[in-house]
Amino acid sequence: MSTATGYNFAYLDEQSKRMIRRAILKAVAIPGYQVPFGGREMPLPHGWGTGGMQVTASVIGEADRLKVIDQGADDTTNAVSIRRFFATTAGVETTESTAAASLIQTRHRIPETPLQADQILIYQVPIPEPLRFIEPRETETRKMHALSEYGAMQVKLYEDVARFGHIATSYDYPVMVNNRYMMDPSPIPKFDNPKMNRMPALQLFGAGFEKRIYAVPPYTEVKSLDFDDYPFEVQRWDENCAICGSDHSFLDEVIIDDAGSKMFVCSDTDYCRSRQTNATESATATEETLS
Amino acid sequence: MTTMIRVSGLQKSFTLHNQGGASFEVLNGAQLEVQQGECVVLHGQSGAGKSTFLKALYANYSVDGGEILLRDGDEMLDLTQALPRRIINLRQHCLGYVSQFLRVIPRISTLDVVMQPLLDLGVDKAICEAKAKDLLSKLNVPERLWHLAPSTFSGGEQQRVNIARGFIVDYPILLLDEPTASLDATNRKVVVELINNAKARGAAIVGIFHDEDVREAVADRLVDIRAI
Amino acid sequence: MNNRVMSDASIMNTSAWQDLAPLLSVRDVNKYYAPGKGCGPVNFDLYPGEVMGIVGESGSGKSTLLSCLSARQTPDSGQIIYNSEQFGEMDLYAGDESERRVLMRSEWGIVHQHARDGLRMNVSAGANIGERLMAVGQRHYGDIRAKAEEWLEAVEIDANRIDDRPSQFSGGMQQRLQIARNLVTHPRLIFMDEPTGGLDVSVQARLLDLLRNLVSQLGLSVIIVTHDLAVARLLAHRLMVMRRGEVVESGLTDQVLDDPQHPYTQLLVSSILQN
């Protein structure tokens, strides 16, 4: 089915994939632990999702159906090129529907539609080390992970409350995985953090620049850090989605003219679209029943 | 009679390694016994070793041989063998030393300097403060100075602050190294009164006094340092 | 000084001194990088409530010794036994590194000569103090902040500076902040490396006075490295004089300084300017 010639299935050679799969297996076995791997060069620069792509390339099979999103949208440049990349090098079917996909590579969002047990969510990760903010030495952060010395991470939240009166960190919000390892969930909004907890789908994280892979196996406990008197909270909007009317999804603020008028729309384009379709269908159904 | 101090066979010499290794023998087999409520005054020429002897009794100087037994309750403690922390403990509740020099600690007020030793024993602050004020008044330290740090005081004022500090705890053993030197007659009389009060409550005192009148007023016994 | 933070009179003052076991026992500790560079053999016992000064000139091995004692530098040979509240009697370097690190953020404190080695310069003073509380599991922001305020005041820093970064503080304030950061978990043993080094004389006096009070009020055991004999006299109960890695003399502080026996100690003492 592959349309490109001269390339191995899904671009990476089988030896590299095997090496990456071993790293993935280790990551799944130790939830939240950052496994180093021999990162390969991909035909696009670091920072454009090369970590996620290498993980995708290593787990994708001919029968898979791939969805790629960037900030929740299927139609942004990055999402379109990665989807096309795998369509070309692996010849797999692609989709924009969350429910129809078996593999979802994502940058900065978790889809609104709850994921299922037979799906895999692959995150693109720019900085895998949650402790870097407080401790720049890698030797020291590794030791901190090994010994579960996570008090320093709380310092970041303390600073937030001290400065803003609440925990102002709104994305890249650190979590504890399986009560053992502290993990950087990649720059997803903290709105998405609760979705990670006990998610039926397998979650894999790939950091291409820093050559680290980590994972959250299905149904694993993922807890966002907080204070007893400043509990973890997700963002809320006063508005509903201007397109589908959703009052519970993550909204993007969109400027619509030079006068600064704005509207709020779902960041998850597929979710928004499927809600519109359902609305139309049920309206049609109602009409049919009435007639 | 209860023996409070028993010194025997005390040896002490100084070797100045950085001045050609010159060596001086100061004490050679010195001995002394002091009873409860007794005041022994050391005399002898300058350089005879009075001060060295007194400093050895406070463990401020080490000794080369002999025993220094001091009573702490039921125990006779050999100072020459005691661990530093035992000596510090002894100095806190049992062994007092008053010289004419105040070792000034920056920033601490006169009142605090004086009451610190009693406070360290866990005595209630109000009691410490009352006693400190009483001593300072007796020693004619003007009240306006009490809340200032003594570092800027005149020599005489500092000396009287130091005496107040030395007498705030009722030590069973008291060593006095010329505390009255250069005090005026009025204040000398106050110190004499303090010493006699200490004797009356049973303190064993060993002292060095330059002034004949003070010596006469407090000494039960005069001991020539060269003879012991 | 706040009563909630401070305990009563120091352990040295109680009559229980004789029943206490040593807090730290050092046996034949050696650490040499090159002949004459390092320290050892060193032997001593430190008891609860004791303040021990280690004096000597630069390069005498006193800082190396302090690193070994505070579990930051494995000695070539010898043993350091620490009597821990949480782990019982432990041979520092025979045990688990995780235990040593737990000690460092709970029962121990380390005050560095340079505040930037002991502080997080890019987070607020409050966070610097709160970090150790959070490291031992406290998760109540309000409580953590209240403790931080208490300790700022205990080290004579205005509590409304709580959200300022240490980089906005003077050298003396940074040093006091470092002390507060260490004391907040009520450690039993503090290691200090030239805590007054590099400070103006007037600032030094204030810091020394503060340290002296805290040490006696909290009944802390302290090992303090300094080349300043005046600092040693003011703070230390006993002294250890080091030269070329070896301990040449030790004993009661005023005895060592007023009646020095070893030629090197005599030289050291006689080199001080009298005022």
Side-chain angles (χ1 to χ4, degrees), chain B residues 49-61:
Chain B
K50 304 185 292 289
S51 199
T52 299
F53 185 80
L54 211 59
K55 283 176 171 158
L57 286 192
Y58 195 60
N60 182 222
Y61 282 4

Side-chain angles (χ1 to χ4, degrees), chain A residues 134 140 143 149 159 228-229, chain C residues 101 105 124 139 141-142:
Chain A
I134 199 81
E140 185 64 16
K143 207 164 268 178
E149 289 179 4
E159 287 290 84
D228 297 345
D229 47 344
Chain C
R101 291 172 64 108
R105 55 176 193 265
S124 68
R139 292 290 180 268
Y141 174 85

Side-chain angles (χ1 to χ4, degrees), chain A residues 133-136 140 143-144 147-152 154-155 157-159 161-163 226-230, chain C residues 97-98 101-102 105 120 122-124 126-127 131 134-135 138-145 148 162-163 165:
Chain A
F133 155 81
I134 199 81
E135 178 53 68
E140 185 64 16
K143 207 164 268 178
M144 290 161 86
L147 303 173
S148 297
E149 289 179 4
Y150 292 137
Q154 212 76 19
V155 168
L157 303 186
Y158 173 96
E159 287 290 84
V161 181
R163 222 178 305 160
D226 60 3
F227 286 111
D228 297 345
D229 47 344
Y230 287 87
Chain C
E97 188 187 4
S98 62
R101 291 172 64 108
V102 169
R105 55 176 193 265
R120 294 199 189 277
N122 59 347
V123 302
S124 68
E131 180 177 346
M134 296 185 254
Q138 294 202 23
R139 292 290 180 268
H140 191 282
Y141 174 85
D143 292 352
I144 292 166
R145 195 168 170 86
I162 190 167
D163 293 327
R165 294 184 175 196

Side-chain angles (χ1 to χ4, degrees), chain C residues 4 6 9 34 51 97 103 107 125 130 159 175 181 237 240 247 256:
Chain C
R4 272 194 292 163
M6 306 305 164
V51 179
E97 188 187 4
L103 287 183
E107 294 180 37
Q175 217 53 335
R181 170 177 159 93
H237 296 126
M240 220 162 74
V247 177
V256 170

